[in-house]
Amino acid sequence: MTRLTIALVGAGSMGSAVGKLLSASGTRVLTTLEGRSAASAARAREAGMEDATLDELAASDFILSIVPPAVALDTAERLAPALTRAANKAVYIDCNAISPQTVATIAQTVDATGAAFVDGGIIGMPSSPKFYFSGPHAPLASALGDAGLAVRLLDGPVGAASALKMSYAGITKGLTALGSAMSLAAMRNGAGQALLDELAESQPEISAWLASNVPRMPPKAYRWVAEMEEIAAFIGDGFAEHRIYEGAAGLYARLATDKTATDALSRFFSETAR
């Protein structure tokens, strides 16, 4: 079997974990560390990823884009000239938490280079991610299953995998936002302990879920702002419920810098976990 070369753009917590999974399977993993922080560079090296030029990335077998939602389009545009120049073009897979509308724009950017485009969505923790792929070129991504990734192909167009990711994240991260907002409001108005007690008594599953997930949220809040905005766009301005996720984006933007509030949430839910 020919050894795959996979370019992975984005050496954050998820990207570096995916790089480690690929490297462990014997896959050669390339990345670009240009403009990345020292922490990202260290994570990439620890995951067995090699620093490479954009032209080297473009000539690999696959490019996996795993970056913050706000820079997903910028990433495709940065790689487009190299993809255009490449004689043997990588299959470009966008794995970011973005709306189908944003995916369509990225697909147009990649299509113009002559490279194949696959829509992707990641669900799960960095230690055990599942990759959903859709679009006419999605079957090409099945090769990633032999490279150590959990691959699931969707019978749908470009945008279907991202729609799944938006829907799933809208429920899970939306519930985290709802629990955080209501808990903070209860504490501000003297009903915090009563809320904890009532949730534990009448909604034990929700109580346990929030106790597990809300305290883990603060370090990720800044990254979830753009994701909530993408979910709002996914729903569409024509539906009133898109404002739920605009509100969630505002909440996460505040919690990203409001340590008093996030410390209060951690203390609040530590009571539930006891």
Side-chain angles (χ1 to χ4, degrees), residues 11 36 46 53 68 73 120 132 143 145 205 252:
R36 301 294 297 182
E46 289 168 6
T53 66
L73 177 56
Y132 288 87
E205 295 87 358
Y252 285 134

mmCIF file of all heavy atoms in Angstrom, residues 11 36 46 53 68 73 120 132 143 145 205 252:
data_model
loop_
_atom_site.group_PDB
_atom_site.id
_atom_site.type_symbol
_atom_site.label_atom_id
_atom_site.label_comp_id
_atom_site.label_asym_id
_atom_site.label_seq_id
_atom_site.Cartn_x
_atom_site.Cartn_y
_atom_site.Cartn_z
ATOM 1 N N ALA A 11 -2.752 23.549 13.783
ATOM 2 C CA ALA A 11 -2.133 22.697 14.802
ATOM 3 C C ALA A 11 -2.661 23.053 16.190
ATOM 4 O O ALA A 11 -1.917 23.058 17.170
ATOM 5 C CB ALA A 11 -0.613 22.829 14.759
ATOM 6 N N ARG A 36 2.365 30.665 13.208
ATOM 7 C CA ARG A 36 1.779 29.941 14.335
ATOM 8 C C ARG A 36 2.533 30.274 15.625
ATOM 9 O O ARG A 36 3.715 30.644 15.608
ATOM 10 C CB ARG A 36 1.819 28.429 14.099
ATOM 11 C CG ARG A 36 1.091 27.966 12.858
ATOM 12 C CD ARG A 36 -0.395 28.194 12.955
ATOM 13 N NE ARG A 36 -0.978 27.416 14.055
ATOM 14 C CZ ARG A 36 -2.273 27.397 14.340
ATOM 15 N NH1 ARG A 36 -3.112 28.119 13.636
ATOM 16 N NH2 ARG A 36 -2.728 26.670 15.341
ATOM 17 N N GLU A 46 5.326 17.489 18.422
ATOM 18 C CA GLU A 46 5.015 16.348 19.292
ATOM 19 C C GLU A 46 4.093 15.353 18.588
ATOM 20 O O GLU A 46 4.126 14.149 18.883
ATOM 21 C CB GLU A 46 4.360 16.844 20.585
ATOM 22 C CG GLU A 46 5.333 17.581 21.516
ATOM 23 C CD GLU A 46 4.627 18.317 22.631
ATOM 24 O OE1 GLU A 46 3.386 18.150 22.746
ATOM 25 O OE2 GLU A 46 5.291 19.048 23.377
ATOM 26 N N THR A 53 6.310 23.848 3.008
ATOM 27 C CA THR A 53 5.866 25.025 2.265
ATOM 28 C C THR A 53 4.436 24.813 1.771
ATOM 29 O O THR A 53 3.940 23.676 1.734
ATOM 30 C CB THR A 53 6.774 25.276 1.062
ATOM 31 O OG1 THR A 53 6.608 24.188 0.128
ATOM 32 C CG2 THR A 53 8.230 25.373 1.481
ATOM 33 N N PRO A 68 -9.814 27.641 13.147
ATOM 34 C CA PRO A 68 -10.981 28.337 13.699
ATOM 35 C C PRO A 68 -11.932 28.756 12.579
ATOM 36 O O PRO A 68 -11.497 29.126 11.478
ATOM 37 C CB PRO A 68 -10.358 29.553 14.399
ATOM 38 C CG PRO A 68 -8.973 29.104 14.749
ATOM 39 C CD PRO A 68 -8.544 28.231 13.607
ATOM 40 N N LEU A 73 -12.221 30.401 5.378
ATOM 41 C CA LEU A 73 -12.154 30.900 4.005
ATOM 42 C C LEU A 73 -10.775 31.467 3.700
ATOM 43 O O LEU A 73 -10.216 31.236 2.615
ATOM 44 C CB LEU A 73 -13.232 31.963 3.784
ATOM 45 C CG LEU A 73 -13.242 32.636 2.404
ATOM 46 C CD1 LEU A 73 -13.372 31.610 1.287
ATOM 47 C CD2 LEU A 73 -14.382 33.655 2.323
ATOM 48 N N GLY A 120 -16.402 18.518 4.996
ATOM 49 C CA GLY A 120 -16.212 17.659 6.161
ATOM 50 C C GLY A 120 -16.711 18.295 7.440
ATOM 51 O O GLY A 120 -16.839 19.516 7.546
ATOM 52 N N TYR A 132 -17.137 13.196 9.241
ATOM 53 C CA TYR A 132 -18.240 13.030 8.283
ATOM 54 C C TYR A 132 -17.875 13.794 7.008
ATOM 55 O O TYR A 132 -17.433 14.947 7.082
ATOM 56 C CB TYR A 132 -19.541 13.574 8.865
ATOM 57 C CG TYR A 132 -20.113 12.719 9.967
ATOM 58 C CD1 TYR A 132 -19.718 12.890 11.291
ATOM 59 C CD2 TYR A 132 -21.064 11.739 9.691
ATOM 60 C CE1 TYR A 132 -20.248 12.102 12.310
ATOM 61 C CE2 TYR A 132 -21.605 10.951 10.699
ATOM 62 C CZ TYR A 132 -21.187 11.140 12.004
ATOM 63 O OH TYR A 132 -21.715 10.351 13.005
ATOM 64 N N ALA A 143 -10.180 6.826 1.897
ATOM 65 C CA ALA A 143 -8.794 6.396 2.110
ATOM 66 C C ALA A 143 -8.279 6.824 3.475
ATOM 67 O O ALA A 143 -7.344 6.209 4.018
ATOM 68 C CB ALA A 143 -7.897 6.971 1.010
ATOM 69 N N GLY A 145 -9.714 6.429 6.179
ATOM 70 C CA GLY A 145 -10.025 5.378 7.140
ATOM 71 C C GLY A 145 -8.842 4.447 7.345
ATOM 72 O O GLY A 145 -8.607 3.947 8.450
ATOM 73 N N GLU A 205 -30.357 14.124 34.661
ATOM 74 C CA GLU A 205 -29.517 13.942 33.483
ATOM 75 C C GLU A 205 -28.982 15.278 32.983
ATOM 76 O O GLU A 205 -27.800 15.403 32.638
ATOM 77 C CB GLU A 205 -30.296 13.241 32.361
ATOM 78 C CG GLU A 205 -30.717 11.814 32.681
ATOM 79 C CD GLU A 205 -32.049 11.762 33.414
ATOM 80 O OE1 GLU A 205 -32.636 12.842 33.704
ATOM 81 O OE2 GLU A 205 -32.512 10.652 33.705
ATOM 82 N N TYR A 252 -20.686 33.895 24.688
ATOM 83 C CA TYR A 252 -19.342 33.322 24.666
ATOM 84 C C TYR A 252 -18.270 34.407 24.509
ATOM 85 O O TYR A 252 -17.175 34.281 25.063
ATOM 86 C CB TYR A 252 -19.222 32.277 23.567
ATOM 87 C CG TYR A 252 -19.918 30.976 23.901
ATOM 88 C CD1 TYR A 252 -20.744 30.336 22.977
ATOM 89 C CD2 TYR A 252 -19.762 30.383 25.153
ATOM 90 C CE1 TYR A 252 -21.379 29.137 23.286
ATOM 91 C CE2 TYR A 252 -20.396 29.192 25.472
ATOM 92 C CZ TYR A 252 -21.205 28.577 24.535
ATOM 93 O OH TYR A 252 -21.824 27.397 24.848
#
